[in-house]
Amino acid sequence: MAFVLPPLPWAMDALEPRMSQKTMEFHYGKHHAAYVNNLNAQIKGNTELENMTIEGVMMKTWNNGSPTPEFNNAAQVVNHTFFWESMAPNKGGEPSGEVAEAINRDFGSFSSFKDAFKTAGATQFGSGWAWLSTDDAGKLEVTKTPNAENPWCHGKTPILTMDVWEHAYYLDVQNRRPDYINTFFDLINWDKVSERYAAARK
């Protein structure tokens, strides 16, 4: 069965003025859609992959660190869906509850976490992602990954991500990635992050 482009969790213009509708039309409507379409073309006729979930295809084609050609498209579908759900209009600010406690425990303060996350995004050379992930014990860590790679590939559970491919921000801020990173913190849906952290600890 063919995969379909998951719907956005909010309207195309919902993140304006921080993230423009034009950026969303290209990023979601063109790039994310292309990953879905390209994956469907790649796996057509492969009944094993066609009958898996998108996450199953991603992990199968990661192939223990020797990814097959389908991996990039499968992982990018997953990564982008996770990214959209990491944001929401009228959000940002700081987390509360267990996530806030875990951030203070593992980074020393929210400010220190913010610095670490910003640094991960700013120093990822070329295309990639910045992540906040948890292990089975609930310990948090910030990482960066190139291209389509993600923490699931390495046995961790992400609870927040930021896309630092240029197509995520170029229409809005051109090559000023640090400006985009600052803006991202005004969009983080900490309620969703908290939900993911609680689910990962069950």
Side-chain angles (χ1 to χ4, degrees), residues 5-193:
L5 180 65
L8 287 170
W10 21 258
M12 195 82 78
D13 63 351
L15 303 185
E16 288 196 331
R18 292 176 174 86
M19 191 173 289
S20 69
Q21 179 174 344
K22 188 169 186 179
T23 284
M24 290 307 307
E25 288 170 350
F26 277 88
H27 195 178
Y28 171 75
K30 302 291 186 184
H31 290 280
H32 195 178
Y35 296 128
V36 175
N37 294 335
N38 291 340
L39 177 63
N40 284 329
Q42 284 177 315
I43 68 173
K44 188 175 182 179
N46 184 328
T47 54
E48 180 186 12
L49 296 181
E50 285 180 324
N51 289 317
M52 287 182 172
T53 63
I54 187 68
E55 294 83 6
V57 173
M58 177 182 75
M59 294 308 296
K60 174 77 174 179
T61 59
W62 171 243
N63 195 33
N64 297 314
S66 300
T68 63
E70 302 87 354
F71 171 77
N72 283 335
N73 285 308
Q76 284 292 75
V77 173
V78 173
N79 292 348
H80 278 85
T81 301
F82 197 82
F83 176 56
W84 308 137
E85 293 173 351
S86 294
M87 299 182 290
N90 305 313
K91 292 293 184 178
E94 297 188 16
S96 59
E98 286 191 338
V99 167
E101 293 169 7
I103 284 174
N104 288 333
R105 181 194 68 217
D106 295 332
F107 297 96
S109 67
F110 178 74
S111 178
S112 294
F113 153 72
K114 196 172 179 178
D115 288 344
F117 195 84
K118 285 183 174 184
T119 298
T123 60
Q124 172 54 44
F125 182 77
S127 301
W129 302 79
W131 304 88
L132 175 65
S133 303
T134 180
D135 62 16
D136 292 340
K139 181 174 173 55
L140 298 177
E141 68 172 356
V142 166
T143 57
K144 57 185 178 180
T145 59
N147 301 316
E149 198 173 318
N150 59 48
W152 287 290
C153 299
H154 303 288
K156 300 294 176 67
T157 302
I159 60 174
L160 174 68
T161 195
M162 176 176 62
D163 188 350
V164 293
W165 285 60
E166 275 198 339
H167 63 232
Y169 56 86
Y170 204 85
L171 290 176
D172 289 336
V173 295
Q174 290 74 57
N175 64 336
R176 302 190 305 275
R177 186 188 286 185
D179 290 353
Y180 158 75
I181 292 172
N182 286 332
T183 297
F184 175 75
F185 272 86
D186 294 329
L187 296 171
I188 295 175
N189 184 353
W190 287 110
D191 292 335
K192 187 65 176 181
V193 175

